[in-house]
Amino acid sequence: MAKFRGVYPAIISPTDSHGGLNEEAFRAVMEDNIVSGAHGFWVAGGTGESVFLSEDENKRIAEIAVDQNQGRVNNIMHIGAATTAQAIRQAEHAASVGVEAVCAVPPFFYEVPDDAIVDYYRVLGEVSELPLFVYNLPPATGVNITPGLMEKLKDRVPQIQGLKHSGTTTRHTSDFVAMGMDCFTGSGSLMLPGLTLGACGVIDGPVCFAPEIWREIWDAYQGGNIRLAEAAQRKATDVQNLLLGVNFPASVKFLCGERVGVDCGLPRLPLPAASEETKAYLLGQAIERGYLPGK
């Protein structure tokens, strides 16, 4: 049985009134997610705004995640950066504080050949003995991790355990699984289809707001109850559409804050904040649809 499987919220990185990390809010959201059935976390990924965090902040959030988790579930810490040198430093730190695995987007901004991408992951893999996950996010990075490129990575980077597949070609999930990769689907609205293709679970930002719904999909599918899994997937897709429809990731930060009762702050600039009108809409819809019981 794979160690990395199930429901992994891409957790937010809450901010305080000065724009710095809000440790109290991060801990509250993580604890709520663990209690609600999360199997692990994708820390400081896209929803966690990692590319807008300083190197020190990325290191600190790894420390907080490990301390709050206390080994109960897995933390996959994103250490990807614009330069290989920074990614190495963040990987070394993540390993030193006790995360269970690391992950990284491929080199971005400048177009580089496949061999340079492989070398980047090879160097990151050699930093520690931790499992390494590739983060396939072509809309943001401009790099598509194809099955062909993944074969090269598998052959030359033995530390690679799998990937978060947020690429546009869903059928590649089967290809990655056939290679022996732990392949997480990167879209909460495609968890059930992904599982039928062999995916080991889901990683996405909206999951952070209502992980129990995606846990319903997981439990029903593992138990062979496809009708129940389909019903849960419809709910999950509804949550996904609500949160991705306006001001993501501000929408997730706002509703996570409403759920745990702690202000999770604003996104880092240049990401736009949610207006008061948008917040009222999100809150109203979440209450009306039953996603914030007791409100």
Side-chain angles (χ1 to χ4, degrees), residues 38-78:
H39 295 99
F41 294 93
W42 189 259
V43 182
T47 304
E49 304 172 77
S50 68
V51 295
F52 296 147
L53 301 177
S54 70
E55 185 172 337
D56 286 344
E57 287 173 323
N58 270 294
K59 291 177 178 178
R60 178 57 186 151
I61 210 164
E63 296 168 359
I64 300 168
V66 170
D67 183 64
Q68 185 63 33
N69 178 20
Q70 292 292 312
R72 290 175 289 172
V73 297
N74 293 322
N75 286 318
I76 304 177
M77 179 69 199
H78 181 252

Side-chain angles (χ1 to χ4, degrees), residues 42 76 78 102-107 117-118 120-122 124 131-138 141 143-146 149-150 153-154 157 159-166 176 181-184 203:
W42 189 259
I76 304 177
H78 181 252
V102 292
C103 62
V105 291
I117 294 172
V118 173
Y120 168 80
Y121 281 111
R122 178 184 55 78
L124 295 184
L132 171 62
F133 283 81
V134 175
Y135 188 179
N136 188 27
L137 190 65
T141 65
V143 178
N144 187 24
I145 305 295
T146 63
L149 178 52
M150 198 68 194
L153 289 166
K154 177 189 174 187
V157 189
Q159 296 85 357
I160 287 183
Q161 175 91 13
L163 74 161
K164 176 188 175 185
H165 179 41
S166 299
F176 296 134
M181 296 289 99
D182 287 349
C183 181
F184 286 92
I203 298 169

Side-chain angles (χ1 to χ4, degrees), residues 11-23:
I11 192 168
I12 58 173
S13 298
T15 53
D16 58 26
S17 59
H18 302 291
L21 287 178
N22 186 331
E23 180 173 331

Side-chain angles (χ1 to χ4, degrees), residues 195-282:
L195 292 176
T196 67
L197 293 172
C200 64
V202 65
I203 298 169
D204 205 0
V207 179
C208 185
F209 167 61
E212 66 277 359
I213 297 176
W214 278 269
R215 181 62 189 258
E216 287 180 29
I217 301 171
W218 176 260
D219 289 344
Y221 184 79
Q222 297 303 314
N225 192 332
I226 298 302
R227 287 185 180 273
L228 185 58
E230 289 173 343
Q233 180 64 77
R234 286 192 289 272
K235 285 195 297 181
T237 300
D238 186 55
V239 173
Q240 189 93 355
N241 290 339
L242 174 63
L243 287 169
L244 296 182
V246 286
N247 284 111
F248 181 85
S251 56
V252 184
K253 279 191 162 180
F254 171 67
L255 284 183
C256 281
E258 291 294 314
R259 175 177 167 116
V260 301
V262 179
D263 186 356
C264 290
L266 303 174
R268 295 289 176 95
L269 293 174
L271 292 172
S275 67
E276 293 304 314
E277 181 181 12
T278 296
K279 290 179 181 178
Y281 168 77
L282 288 167

